[in-house]
Amino acid sequence: MLSAEECLKAIEIMGESFPDAHSSLTADTDFHFLLAVIMSAQTTDKAVNLLTPKLFETYKTPYELAKADINDVMSLIKTIGLYRNKAKYLVACAQKIVSDFAGIVPQTRKELMSLPGVGRKTADVVLAECFGIPALAVDTHVTRVSKRLRMVAQSADVLKIERTLMKKLPESVWIDAHFRMIYWGRYQCTARSPKCETCPLLGICAEGKQRVKTN
Ligand code: SF4
């Protein structure tokens, strides 16, 4: 297992390859960013970004979306997976923001997770991206990269991965670590063909060494 020092070093090396790693979802307000993150579940950010301009233009605020006809929302987001459920979540989320939070996206994980369609990962992404509140959301890329690098135990579930990384890494790098690991998983340590031979982390990566040896 990598030590805390080695984990930090790995995140720094990832930062050299991806110094500007950040969310690829585009949004003009916190509310719209929250909607984009909800829609991005099991869908690419690119697919979400293609439909959001029209959606955001139609529903500028939670108040407008809270009153929306669900069928209108569905037709605006029908190009992404699970759009029926997502449309319901978007409207219900807007309604709760209006009824419980005076139309303002809340800034705590607990409050965010009280919104329909918002799980821990979505809440953490919003906390980090919108409010700069340290959080380390764990998605499929963070899971794969942290396990391959042995930053966390192979048996760790999402919550355990989050807790282990937050313990090993200083709070000041949580947000960067989240985005850098996502980029690392997307472009270097991909699910099917990780580029181990050319990976700058090969020296500290047990899985990479194994893969290079057996190739
Ligand atoms: Fe991923 Fe291979 Fe790099 Fe390890 S050496 S982090 S498995 S790409």
Side-chain angles (χ1 to χ4, degrees):
M1 189 95 90
L2 289 193
S3 66
E5 202 181 326
E6 288 170 320
C7 288
L8 180 58
K9 186 73 196 157
I11 297 299
E12 284 169 359
I13 290 171
M14 289 177 199
E16 287 166 15
S17 297
F18 302 109
D20 298 320
H22 62 277
S23 173
S24 10
L25 292 168
T26 50
D28 52 348
T29 65
D30 297 340
F31 173 59
H32 284 163
F33 185 75
L34 170 62
L35 300 183
V37 182
I38 292 172
M39 286 189 287
S40 70
Q42 295 178 47
T43 306
T44 64
D45 289 357
K46 201 173 162 191
V48 173
N49 286 339
L50 281 174
L51 65 81
T52 45
K54 184 84 193 328
L55 180 79
F56 294 166
E57 177 60 27
T58 308
Y59 306 108
K60 294 190 177 68
T61 68
Y63 295 94
E64 290 168 36
L65 185 57
K67 290 185 282 184
D69 182 320
I70 201 86
N71 293 311
D72 292 340
V73 179
M74 277 187 200
S75 75
L76 283 171
I77 70 167
K78 66 184 177 200
T79 50
I80 57 169
L82 309 173
Y83 72 94
R84 287 189 179 84
N85 276 341
K86 286 176 184 174
K88 287 177 197 158
Y89 281 143
L90 297 187
V91 175
C93 178
Q95 287 170 344
K96 190 153 171 89
I97 289 176
V98 168
S99 63
D100 292 16
F101 301 104
I104 295 165
V105 176
Q107 298 193 19
T108 68
R109 181 189 283 137
K110 194 174 168 203
E111 288 171 322
L112 280 165
M113 286 179 68
S114 75
L115 301 172
V118 179
R120 192 179 179 88
K121 180 163 74 81
T122 298
D124 282 350
V125 171
V126 171
L127 286 176
E129 186 74 9
C130 296
F131 309 122
I133 295 171
L136 215 164
V138 176
D139 72 348
T140 177
H141 297 300
V142 175
T143 298
R144 185 176 64 258
V145 169
S146 62
K147 286 193 177 182
R148 281 183 176 165
L149 275 163
R150 310 290 190 263
M151 289 173 155
V152 302
Q154 296 304 295
S155 59
D157 61 12
V158 168
L159 201 54
K160 176 84 178 160
I161 293 171
E162 182 181 319
R163 291 205 172 128
T164 304
L165 292 176
M166 287 166 95
K167 206 166 146 191
K168 286 187 165 182
L169 296 169
E171 193 176 297
S172 56
V173 305
W174 290 353
I175 296 175
D176 283 342
H178 162 75
F179 288 120
R180 287 175 190 176
M181 290 173 86
I182 288 176
Y183 274 55
W184 203 255
R186 267 189 204 151
Y187 304 111
Q188 176 74 36
C189 192
T190 58
R192 293 203 180 150
S193 324
K195 300 171 185 140
C196 300
E197 284 84 358
T198 58
C199 182
L201 294 177
L202 183 59
I204 56 166
C205 182
E207 171 132 357
K209 285 177 191 158
Q210 189 62 35
R211 282 173 179 266
V212 167
K213 206 156 77 178
T214 54
N215 272 347

